[in-house]
Amino acid sequence: MDAHAKTRHPAFQLAPCAPKSYGASPVAALCRQVKWASTTLAPTAFPELMAAAGYHQAVFAAMPDDLPQRIQTWPEALWLAWRHALQQCWQAAHVADADLARKFAHFGWALELWGLVRDAQYVLRAAGRDTADCWLWLARCESATGRLQEAMAYLSRVLANAPLHAEARQLQSRIGPRLRQQQALAAQVRGGPVLRLESLNEAHAAALAWQYRDPHIAQATDLPELADEAAVHAWLAEQAVEEGRHNYAVMHLHYGFIGVVSLSAVGRQAFIHYWLGVDYQGQGHALPATTLLTAQARAMGMQTLFTSVLPDNRRSVRVLDRLGFGALPVPPLRDADAALQFSCLHLNGTAVDPEADLAALMTLCNQLDAPLLLADSVDSTPPLAQCEATTCH
């Protein structure tokens, strides 16, 4: 599903589904309510009904089969509520029935819950249902989560039985270039158990625009607004010709694209930054994502990494501390740079040398056409809202 089919909504965080008037109604009564009133119930009622039933699989099984077709028109808060409810229901269900697993797969696909869809396909395979179709679904899930080699293996199985399978051949042609780029990365970066990196490209544009929808991300990273998918495509084209710039999509085993890590390199030094998407901040992904970035930088021959962060951004400050970055005593700077805290990491474990590393930082920023200009006086700059991101320079 195109992420931009979802209607914009000011609520960025998922609120728990309240049972409201359904109270402690028995599961059977809730199932009857779903079946009898499925055409008149508002979409908001279904997550509430599942919550009221303790996420019992029988209530989900009674849901109208055509609901996934309506999801594209739902506002963001409802879309997020449904994601939460469906995940809770799947975890509580221990599904073994093939028909119910297929229903979960269709809902999960519409809600971009790739891990849930993958697990549902495993149930279908165990039941001996539609093996070739399961392989194709699994290939789609692996592609959406950055497990590109696994996706190609599933497609090979499909094409071995049906060499002219149009969708499998089309998906194979799209994954091929992505896989070649990913295979050029460090082994631990492309094969992590939960997070993986792959070169950021047009395949991630829709998910990137959706996860970038909080304006604080643009402010914290000093990147363009990227208000829609077309803006992302234009930005990616600009980035592709920027010498020394390497952008990587952070791919989660269950959720797919969750953010970006990147570096701008000159020689053996690089300036790094990262940001996590709206739906995945504060969940512990920042440290493993930036650890993958440092591993990739080391594999590229980088010796020293620099970055900057707003001091009030406590999450990112903690991440940098745990990675071993040391703060640099940068003198007061002009304009937006005045609010930033700069830090340094030597990948060989050498301690920060305040004077030498500050000089190296100033030189690197000049080479990146983003010079740090000293201020005549210190100006106070209001802090931005909390956001897991470092500033791009």
Side-chain angles (χ1 to χ4, degrees), residues 66-81:
D66 67 343
L67 265 178
Q69 301 170 20
R70 312 180 205 172
I71 288 174
Q72 293 187 8
T73 63
W74 290 352
E76 179 184 330
L78 178 58
W79 191 80
L80 292 173

Side-chain angles (χ1 to χ4, degrees), residues 172-256:
Q172 189 180 57
S173 68
R174 291 201 303 266
I175 294 175
R178 291 172 57 194
L179 177 58
R180 288 190 289 274
Q181 290 181 325
Q182 190 181 53
Q183 288 174 329
L185 305 182
Q188 64 268 44
V189 163
R190 65 175 185 266
V194 177
L195 297 186
R196 298 185 178 191
L197 300 187
E198 67 167 299
S199 296
L200 186 66
N201 56 58
E202 289 79 4
H204 310 111
L208 188 156
W210 178 244
Q211 289 304 326
Y212 195 78
R213 64 192 184 273
D214 183 348
H216 286 125
I217 295 177
Q219 295 176 46
T221 57
D222 196 27
L223 290 171
E225 290 185 4
L226 305 181
D228 52 33
E229 191 174 342
V232 174
H233 282 290
W235 177 73
L236 288 173
E238 294 172 1
Q239 294 285 292
V241 298
E242 187 173 325
E243 188 175 357
R245 182 76 172 206
H246 303 272
N247 294 319
Y248 305 104
V250 182
M251 307 297 288
H252 191 281
L253 173 65
H254 300 301
Y255 305 119

Side-chain angles (χ1 to χ4, degrees), residues 9 11-18 47-48 51 55 76-85 88:
H9 190 282
F12 294 133
Q13 299 299 322
L14 174 63
C17 301
E48 295 168 355
Y55 301 105
E76 179 184 330
L78 178 58
W79 191 80
L80 292 173
W82 256 97
R83 276 172 62 97
H84 174 78
Q88 293 295 315

Side-chain angles (χ1 to χ4, degrees), residues 108-131:
W109 182 263
L111 292 163
E112 300 174 13
L113 292 170
W114 316 120
L116 189 156
V117 176
R118 183 191 289 118
D119 290 345
Q121 294 304 314
Y122 292 157
V123 174
L124 289 168
R125 286 181 61 193
R129 296 287 190 91
D130 303 326
T131 302

